[in-house]
């Protein structure tokens, strides 16, 4: 049966997080199609992975027989994260925008699983793997908006997953998530609600379509 790797990185709990709500909708729709399948869940905020170290970096390019104890430990931890990603049939990632880019917890995870010559580069092991990113954001950074040039979530993750890892990448983008909380954005609440509903519907639709495709 198919395996879904579900990753959240929001600092907010499910009831207060737009990205978590949408990844949960994706997961629920996936499980509806794959009730006997496996879901591996990582909450990078609740259980962050360590920031990458020199030992973790060099260990992947050194003969394991020559590893120092520190390299061996770092290699084992990094290998576990890489193998978990490689083994998944599909991936869904909650990536809220914090200060124009991804949360540091998600960046730390990415630093571990991006391995040039293995998961990224000329012949990446993740080539063609379906990856869906829920890129929630407090305002709007869509093309044509005043802050279009400050959008570093989709740009960055497209470079990582689509260009470097050659994964089959799709985005779901719930935006204006600060509208209910910021009085200055009160008039945008209806647009936020519409964006949120569209994102939830897209998660349901994409998860079901992907599950059916992988089952074929």
């Amino acid at each position: 049966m198919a395996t879904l790797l579900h990753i959240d990185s929001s600092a907010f709990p499910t009831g207060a997080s737009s990205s978590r709500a949408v990844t949960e909708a994706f997961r629920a729709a996936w499980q509806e199609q794959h009730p006997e399948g496996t879901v591996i869940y990582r909450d990078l905020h609740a259980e962050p992975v360590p920031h990458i170290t020199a030992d973790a970096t060099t260990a992947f390019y050194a003969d394991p027989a020559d590893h120092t104890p520190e390299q061996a430990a770092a290699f084992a931890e990094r290998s576990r994260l890489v193998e978990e990603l490689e083994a998944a049939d599909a991936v869904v990632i909650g990536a809220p925008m914090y200060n124009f880019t991804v949360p540091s917890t998600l960046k730390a995870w990415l630093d571990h699983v991006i391995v040039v010559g293995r998961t990224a580069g000329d012949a990446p092991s993740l080539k063609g793997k379906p990856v869906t990113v829920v890129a929630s954001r407090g305002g709007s950074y869509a093309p044509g908006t005043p802050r279009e040039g400050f959008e570093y979530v989709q740009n960055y993750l497209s470079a990582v997953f689509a260009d470097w890892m050659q994964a089959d990448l799709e985005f779901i983008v719930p935006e204006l998530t600060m509208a209910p909380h910021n009085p200055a954005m009160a008039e945008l609440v209806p647009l936020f609600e519409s964006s949120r509903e569209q994102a939830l519907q897209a998660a349901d639709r994409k998860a079901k379509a992907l599950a059916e495709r992988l089952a074929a």
Side-chain angles (χ1 to χ4, degrees):
M1 298 298 293
T3 297
L4 173 69
L5 176 59
H6 173 186
I7 295 173
D8 280 324
S9 61
S10 173
F12 293 90
T14 299
S17 168
S18 293
S19 65
R20 287 181 186 271
V22 178
T23 60
E24 180 59 33
F26 186 102
R27 173 177 175 166
W30 170 277
Q31 290 182 303
E32 183 180 329
Q33 299 296 313
H34 285 296
E36 303 301 322
T38 300
V39 175
I40 298 171
Y41 181 58
R42 279 195 174 273
D43 186 336
L44 296 176
H45 179 74
E47 297 183 17
V49 300
H51 288 290
I52 199 162
T53 63
D55 288 324
T57 301
T58 58
F60 258 86
Y61 303 103
D63 186 335
D66 296 329
H67 281 175
T68 65
E70 293 78 15
Q71 283 181 313
F75 180 81
E77 173 61 19
R78 195 175 180 191
S79 294
R80 183 168 66 90
L81 295 172
V82 168
E83 290 165 6
E84 183 177 80
L85 176 60
E86 290 177 329
D89 295 288
V91 184
V92 62
I93 300 172
M97 177 186 283
Y98 289 172
N99 300 314
F100 306 125
T101 189
V102 299
S104 61
T105 52
L106 179 56
K107 178 60 166 61
W109 177 81
L110 286 166
D111 284 340
H112 281 282
V113 301
I114 297 170
V115 181
V116 178
R118 180 167 174 176
T119 61
D122 293 334
S125 59
L126 300 185
K127 185 174 183 178
K129 188 180 296 291
V131 176
T132 302
V133 173
V134 179
S136 60
R137 51 207 192 187
S140 180
Y141 298 78
T145 61
R147 290 199 170 186
E148 176 185 358
F150 292 88
E151 202 297 301
Y152 300 109
V153 174
Q154 287 178 266
N155 287 346
Y156 168 58
L157 295 180
S158 291
V160 169
F161 285 112
D163 297 337
W164 221 4
M165 293 182 168
Q166 299 181 39
D168 180 8
L169 176 66
E170 291 194 62
F171 285 101
I172 300 174
V173 187
E175 59 181 13
L176 301 169
T177 63
M178 287 300 296
H181 311 289
N182 185 349
M185 298 175 68
E187 65 181 15
L188 299 175
V189 168
L191 291 177
F192 153 72
E193 292 173 342
S194 175
S195 177
R196 178 183 173 88
E197 183 58 31
Q198 289 176 26
L200 291 170
Q201 291 176 4
D204 182 84
R205 183 175 64 253
K206 289 178 183 293
K208 289 179 177 177
L210 179 57
E212 290 176 0
R213 190 180 93 195
L214 291 175

